[in-house]
Amino acid sequence: MKFVKKPIALPSSYRFFYQISIFLLILEFCCPKNKGASTFKLQLLAWALRDDEGCKSLMEVTKLKQFKDNFKFWALDPALNRAIAFALADGFLAIDNDKIISGPKGDALLLYILGADVFIDEKAILKKFGKSVSENFISTVLKNEKA
Amino acid sequence: MKKLNITAIRITTYTKDKPFQFEASFESKLNIIRGDNAKGKSTLVQSIFYVLGQEELLGGKNSKVMQSCLRKLIRNDEENEINVLGSSIELQIYNGIDVVTLKRCADLDGTDDRLIEVTFGGALSNKDLAFKKESMFVHDAGGATNSYHGFHKWLEEFLGWELPSVASSGEKEIKLYSQLVFPAFLIEQKAGWSNYLATSPYFGIRESKKRAIEFLLNLDVSQNEKAKRQIEAKLESYRKEWQLIYDEIERLITSDFIKIVGLNRNPHTNFDPNEINLVYEKDGVYCNLHERINKLEQDLKYIELINLPTNNEVEDELNQKLEELLFDIQNLTDEEDKLRSFLALEHAQKRDRQETLKEIEKEIEKNEGALKVKKFGATLESALAAGNCPTCHQAIKDALLPLDIRAIPMSIEDNVKYLKGQKKIFLSYIESCFKTVADLNNDLKRNRKLQDETRERIKEIRLQLTADPRMPSIINLRAQIKQEEDIKKFIGFIEFFNKKITEISTIHYSYKLALEEKKNLPQNGLSQNDKQKLNSFSGIFRGLLRKFEFQSCNIEFIKISEESYFPIIDSSELFNEMLRTDSSASDFVRVMWAYTIGLYLVSEQYQANHPSFIFLDEPAQHSMSDKSSWELFDSLSKISCQTIVADSFNQNDQNFIDTTKGIDFNLIKFDGLLLKRIGGLVND
């Protein structure tokens, strides 16, 4: 007798090209030109895209520009760090001045993503966040979390 | 046919002393702007984008995108840097009928970057004349849609454009922005040569590039798509009206053990008013409502004939009946409780399943997006897209799971199939939930009705039992009255029902017409005319590629796709194919030249919407051969369209002479720097 392992379904957020696309969209919509983003920023915004609740609470916090007690810290997802590492190795992302920026293949991929009919919801949400989630803001979140 | 023609430009940069200025005039043929690098060519190019309200193609809004020499520091010919107090750009344009002058300032105190001043006349060529002026907003909520004071709206009218409404990422339709159309003929040096319409800004419009090409070529498909959406909306409104009437009938009639047979809640094509009946069903009786009325009328005659017994005579009978009824009412209330809890359960389940369905649908969209991006990633020689680790080049699974998890993930394709299967299951779950809820509601309604009736009868019997035993029993009298009431009510129902059925018949007729209309639309949306246009585009495109000495693949197999409107070879995207075969970078640019010029030529042939204006910034990218560059200038000079090319000619006079030999063009040249102090030198 032989047992065959059945392949399991995987959430889209565990796919390389889903996360890479999200990172590039974050860099495009939510970061100053050519300045890039910290891993925390990528983590935070990618986390906010996971479910409506996270997105809503982050939106509220950025609007108030201060923390409310009910803002729960996001989860730092090791899967996202893996995604960043793979994307760096494959040339979709690069590192510049300790910040993550779009890599040599990233610009071409981003142009495709922006023009193609994909990730409509994600684009709309990230565009709405815009530059409101700044690096300063992130460091405040981190400090607040430690306190 | 209106067009866009630039006739003159003036850039003025203000400093504490005399301003710096650049002035030039353009002709309605090939214009070549020749300037060395870092001398202000980009300033001139960007100024033209800016004053036309198209700076989003440069990647930003308002004056932020402009060069520092217009906003911060300017160099004079002695290489001294001088503080800039702001600039103004004036552009005189002509649409074949009217001449207007646009003026927009950048960082100039006392002016607003978001405003463009439109002068209704040639202010640059007739400096002494006074013309009417109006200021219009460029970036303002509703700038494109609001007719009042919106620059883009005005520009559309000036160009004779009627931009269509298109599907957006949200539910509603929005108007196609002119900034999405301009990248087809306004090509900027930095990002413009990387892809077709590469500089299209993101406005949340679905397939915006396709929509722009459809508009420029005036394809019927956009009309057809629109017609399709309109028919869908019409069908939906008929569906709603139908349901409304159905619900109305149901609310009024079916509560009384009467059912509608032959009519569905949703419109059905096989609807026939003669096949529709009201049916009476109670205590094992099942008949047409007409028959029921006849029966009741007969019964009534019979009751009238018999004598009424006294209360005394019926007392035992009544007592026994009362027992039975009290027992019935107990059963009925038990049943009601049960039904209510089932209903609550079913509602909760329905909600849960609908949530899950929404999640599944979102997940399908995400997976499909990831799949598309992955496929494109493969053309960028991505190791991940090929299923390999970018570092060690061993095969890896497309999963961000920790390495110690041994599970085998599905491929994205299988994952999408799996999710679609799940979606089907949940759709049928939800459908069955709806049905169960409707059934339960009906049962509940029937239960309530029965309870009311039973209580009414209990009350009657109790009254009877306490009444004078010598009096005639009025139970039967009441029954008689009730029957008379029923007859009247049922006749009312039938009248009401017939009226509503006439209404539904009218809707049914319009519904069928709309279905027929939908059938008549072309299947993939392209009309015969559209196919012809794309076909001649293919021909023109191949001809131009040949002229520009395109080498990467066999030109014969290249055509313009009826799906994407971009070039394909053997049904795969031409760019992807070129990336795969490692084509020379200059061939990519040749494709862009041919596509840009081809688009104009097809539009001209079919009198479509191209504004007969092409602007190319540094078209000789990637060490283009002189011969090809000459062929480009030759084509540009021979088409009846205003073309402007900004080129540094590799800062080489010989290159300029070789590539423009024998070509008719208007030269715009500046020696040294673009912007020069009015009245010559002063000491700074």
Side-chain angles (χ1 to χ4, degrees), chain B residues 142-153:
Chain B
T145 44
N146 194 345
S147 65
Y148 185 65
H149 284 337
F151 173 76
H152 287 119
K153 171 81 187 167

Side-chain angles (χ1 to χ4, degrees), chain B residues 494-598:
Chain B
I494 288 175
E495 277 172 9
F496 174 79
F497 184 69
N498 287 341
K499 209 176 93 199
K500 289 293 159 190
I501 291 300
T502 333
E503 284 178 34
I504 284 197
S505 299
T506 332
I507 298 172
H508 177 241
Y509 181 70
S510 319
Y511 186 77
K512 275 197 304 194
L513 282 187
L515 280 180
E516 162 86 16
E517 247 181 287
K518 194 175 155 187
K519 274 269 157 63
N520 278 337
L521 288 174
Q523 275 307 309
N524 72 346
L526 291 174
S527 69
Q528 218 41 47
N529 209 5
D530 291 348
K531 288 186 181 167
Q532 218 175 339
K533 282 181 189 173
L534 291 174
N535 205 13
S536 51
F537 193 176
S538 296
I540 291 169
F541 183 72
R542 282 194 295 266
L544 287 166
L545 280 184
R546 218 165 280 132
K547 187 167 162 60
F548 299 146
E549 306 186 297
F550 177 85
Q551 303 279 355
S552 292
C553 26
N554 190 342
I555 292 174
E556 290 312 311
F557 298 120
I558 299 175
K559 58 176 195 171
I560 302 294
S561 156
E562 289 187 357
E563 293 286 319
S564 66
Y565 316 141
F566 292 129
I568 49 169
I569 180 160
D570 295 337
S571 81
S572 83
E573 179 80 30
L574 178 60
F575 271 1
N576 291 350
E577 196 58 24
M578 287 167 67
L579 280 162
R580 208 177 56 75
T581 55
D582 220 0
S583 299
S584 75
S586 55
D587 260 356
F588 284 89
V589 179
R590 289 187 181 94
V591 171
M592 290 294 300
W593 291 355
Y595 191 77
T596 310
I597 298 173

